[in-house]
Amino acid sequence: MTSNKVAFVGAGATLLWVAIWAWLTREGGPVSELFFPSPGDVLDRLIMFWSRPYIGSTLMGHILSSLSIVLAGWVLGGIVGVPLGIAMAWWTRLKWIVFPIFQLIRPVPPLAWIPLTLLWIGIGDAARIFVVFIAALVPWVMNSMHAVYSVDKLLIDAGRTLGANDRKILTRIVIRSAIPTLLAGARIALGNAWTTLVAAELLAATAGLGYVALNASRMLDTDVLVVAMLLIGLLGVMLSALMGLAARMFAPWVKNDRNGG
Amino acid sequence: MQNQQSTPKLELRNITKWFGPKDTGVCAVDNCSLAVQKGEFICVVGPSGCGKSTLMTVGAGLEQPTEGEILVDGKPAGPPGPQRSVVFQKFALFPSETVAQNIKFGLQMCGVDAKEQERRLVEQLKIMKLEQFRDAYPSELSGGMQQRVAIARSLVMQPEILLMDEPFGALDAQTRTILQEEVQRLHREHHYTVLFITHSVEEAVYLGDRVIVMSRRPGRIKKEISLPRDVVWKRGDIEVAAEHPDFIAARREIWALVREEIIAQ
Ligand SMILES: Nc1ncnc2c1ncn2[C@@H]1O[C@H](COP(=O)(O)OP(=O)(O)OP(=O)(O)O)[C@@H](O)[C@H]1O
Ligand SMILES: [Mg+2]
């Protein structure tokens, strides 16, 4: 299918889903508004809290709070994770020093760090940034490591016969050919960071979309709850799309379908 | 002065290569010696898996031989470098770099100034007929075009020695023929010293001044056949050359030697 057709089908399907939602939640319909609001109610709430504060700040304020914490944790994860992953692949000894810790951390859900974090740094932004950092760090490191491993040894041989020294081989051949995999890792890290943050906000926060959702559910305010969930989903899609865009910008040699949309 | 025997440009002396521990691993090359004179085009043929690529990677300095030594101009060759340029069977182009960046890569590594880089790049693009593909990425090129880029990337270094490992093995027949003729022409004009590995007997007879037949694994040198140099039929197209009686005789002789090894495997 051409990209035009894809966009057309996608838009059509979205409309259809909204229509089904509206039909199910219509007045006297099969789903009562107590359990799930109609699209109209959700839109009302969205517009209302866009300008008026809800538990402390407007929706925009909550969104910015969530996004800034995600970005901070994700960027920190990248700053630590990318060099670490590359170094682990390049120096086998380092890999075997660090790897055992990693294997141990990997299966622990990032949220399990919350109790410790609360103990160490309390309930503020720093605590959430730390948990997001942990969530992003693992995919950053793993993908950076595999990105280096997946570079064809033949390219290194070619570089050597063309006079490249070790440093040039690392920077110009290994890291550059690894960029697509690095970007794929960045995308996974961002996805992990986002879902972890929202969950962290459900447990320990004073602002953010997860916090809004938690409050709304305590008040049995399903309208606001669904608004928050919808925004969480939409922002997740947006972040992922931005990463796809970044991939196309920073790795233009990769065929488009691999970068995704 | 007059009687001095010329030192070979590249010499592989008593090369033995084991993969894994000696005696329990795989012996890929067993005591091979071969000398390539300056300006000579040597082809190596042999059955698949006999150690041809190993011989070349050792010759390039990419792998250490278990025994023996590599000499360039009579001196130990040392680590790999642009003096011994390699064209790989699988192209080995840098995927993240454009055609122009790939070709300039070696020049940049060797600190050639930007103006000279550009001059040599333009020259190579012209020789290899790659002008329109200057800013394309390798993934956007056909196999034949990619191999042209790889050859240009080697030639731009003005290497003293050119090592080619089945450079046309992955190409379709038409593209292969064209590139064979191009390499023949380049060699005639520039007198490169070439060690060329192939499994195509025709290719070896058409391109080589000498053809070296390797035995089945572990690879030994079975026979060396000198071919007429600078004869008219080598200057023409390969199909025309292939009809010349000398070509047919040489092909028959070499093919018989290779066949023996394949059947004995
Ligand atoms: N890195 C390696 N480790 C272990 N064995 C190897 C290695 N490289 C090559 N070999 C073995 O050495 C032998 C010779 O391999 P080589 O690639 O030199 O053969 P070749 O003549 O180039 O074959 P082909 O015509 O198929 O390219 C093979 O049996 C191969 O399995
Ligand atoms: Mg081979």
Side-chain angles (χ1 to χ4, degrees), chain B residues 204-229:
Chain B
V205 173
Y206 177 65
L207 291 174
D209 298 324
R210 258 192 301 152
V211 176
I212 305 222
V213 180
M214 280 180 81
S215 71
R216 62 188 182 278
R217 211 187 76 208
R220 300 195 183 96
I221 290 176
K222 183 181 166 84
K223 184 124 194 223
E224 241 185 73
I225 291 115
S226 288
L227 293 168
R229 266 186 97 155

Side-chain angles (χ1 to χ4, degrees), chain B residues 102-132:
Chain B
N102 263 284
I103 296 174
K104 279 184 178 173
F105 185 95
L107 299 173
Q108 288 163 352
M109 295 303 121
C110 297
V112 173
D113 73 72
K115 243 174 98 187
E116 176 67 5
Q117 281 178 27
E118 184 61 28
R119 194 189 65 72
R120 290 213 228 164
L121 166 69
V122 170
E123 181 185 70
Q124 279 306 319
L125 290 173
K126 189 149 171 270
I127 293 173
M128 282 296 163
K129 305 189 180 70
L130 287 165
E131 286 117 322
Q132 314 103 283

Side-chain angles (χ1 to χ4, degrees), chain A residues 154-155 161 172 176 252-253 255, chain B residues 81-82 93 95-97 108 139:
Chain A
L154 196 61
L155 296 183
T161 64
R172 190 132 170 221
R176 285 198 58 174
W253 61 92
K255 297 260 161 54
Chain B
L93 295 175
S96 58
E97 317 234 341
Q108 288 163 352
S139 59

Side-chain angles (χ1 to χ4, degrees), chain A residues 80-96 98 141 144-146 148-149 170 174-175 182:
Chain A
V80 176
V82 172
L84 184 63
I86 290 172
M88 278 163 74
W90 199 244
W91 292 289
T92 316
R93 186 164 304 167
L94 179 71
K95 177 184 166 180
W96 289 112
V98 182
V141 170
S144 307
M145 201 171 77
H146 285 123
V148 173
Y149 282 143
L170 180 63
V174 174
I175 295 182
L182 282 176

Side-chain angles (χ1 to χ4, degrees), chain A residues 2-251:
Chain A
T2 64
S3 63
N4 258 338
K5 260 190 196 160
V6 170
F8 192 72
V9 172
T14 309
L15 277 180
L16 184 69
W17 289 118
V18 173
I20 292 174
W21 170 18
W23 182 79
L24 287 172
T25 54
R26 71 186 191 278
E27 233 165 303
V31 179
S32 133
E33 68 176 306
L34 200 62
F35 292 108
F36 210 87
S38 67
D41 293 345
V42 168
L43 194 64
D44 274 355
R45 283 312 171 98
L46 188 63
I47 292 167
M48 179 173 155
F49 288 121
W50 202 255
S51 46
R52 210 180 319 146
Y54 180 85
I55 46 166
S57 63
T58 59
L59 277 181
M60 200 45 164
H62 290 296
I63 288 173
L64 288 179
S65 162
S66 289
L67 279 181
S68 56
I69 285 172
V70 154
L71 289 183
W74 177 73
V75 168
L76 278 177
I79 290 172
V80 176
V82 172
L84 184 63
I86 290 172
M88 278 163 74
W90 199 244
W91 292 289
T92 316
R93 186 164 304 167
L94 179 71
K95 177 184 166 180
W96 289 112
I97 293 172
V98 182
F99 211 47
I101 306 179
F102 250 86
Q103 294 291 52
L104 206 63
I105 291 180
R106 216 140 64 119
V108 178
L111 288 182
W113 286 84
I114 287 180
L116 261 188
T117 318
L118 292 180
L119 201 66
W120 292 342
I121 35 187
I123 200 172
D125 288 353
R128 272 168 295 143
I129 291 176
F130 179 77
V131 174
V132 170
F133 166 80
I134 295 278
L137 184 66
V138 173
W140 270 123
V141 170
M142 290 300 164
N143 278 276
S144 307
M145 201 171 77
H146 285 123
V148 173
Y149 282 143
S150 62
V151 174
D152 193 346
K153 183 176 169 292
L154 196 61
L155 296 183
I156 296 173
D157 278 353
R160 287 170 69 202
T161 64
L162 289 167
N165 55 26
D166 276 5
R167 199 170 56 88
K168 285 287 181 197
I169 285 176
L170 180 63
T171 54
R172 190 132 170 221
I173 301 177
V174 174
I175 295 182
R176 285 198 58 174
S177 331
I179 287 176
T181 318
L182 282 176
L183 288 170
R187 196 172 185 171
I188 299 172
L190 191 56
N192 275 14
W194 182 242
T195 44
T196 301
L197 171 76
V198 171
E201 285 171 345
L202 286 172
L203 296 177
T206 49
L209 288 172
Y211 179 63
V212 170
L214 176 71
N215 262 276
S217 94
R218 285 204 183 121
M219 306 291 189
L220 290 180
D221 188 347
T222 46
D223 298 2
V224 173
L225 181 59
V226 171
V227 166
M229 286 170 65
L230 206 66
L231 285 174
I232 289 163
L234 283 175
L235 284 165
V237 170
M238 232 180 59
L239 290 176
S240 179
L242 277 177
M243 290 309 295
L245 216 65
R248 229 161 296 169
M249 234 170 76
F250 294 115

